[in-house]
Amino acid sequence: MTTPTSTAPILRGALARAAGADPDTLPEDGHLEHDLGIDSLALHELVVHLEQQLTVTVPDEEVGRLATVADLRDLLARLGHPTGTDPE
């Protein structure tokens, strides 16, 4: 059995907030702009929120490369905050 890491709910909540949607309705690997409606301003706000919640710094050049939820998840993993599931 697996349980979500503490980062996963933070990411889902931040994505839901940025998209103005219920966290349970968000696609797992959707496109940030096309599927979730997160434009460049909302993406910036999302990243700032995640930086504050997770105490990380996301380099500006990395923000420009974010296009999908998977990109965001991978970036957080590279910064030391995996967002998948941990074996129980």
Side-chain angles (χ1 to χ4, degrees), residues 47-59:
V47 168
V48 168
H49 178 76
L50 289 171
E51 287 177 326
Q52 292 170 345
Q53 292 293 309
L54 300 173
T55 318
V56 295
T57 300
V58 177

Side-chain angles (χ1 to χ4, degrees), residues 15-38:
L15 285 167
R17 180 175 161 223
D22 183 321
D24 295 329
T25 65
L26 297 175
E28 286 295 316
D29 288 319
H31 190 276
L32 294 172
E33 186 171 6
H34 301 297
D35 296 329
L36 302 177
I38 298 174

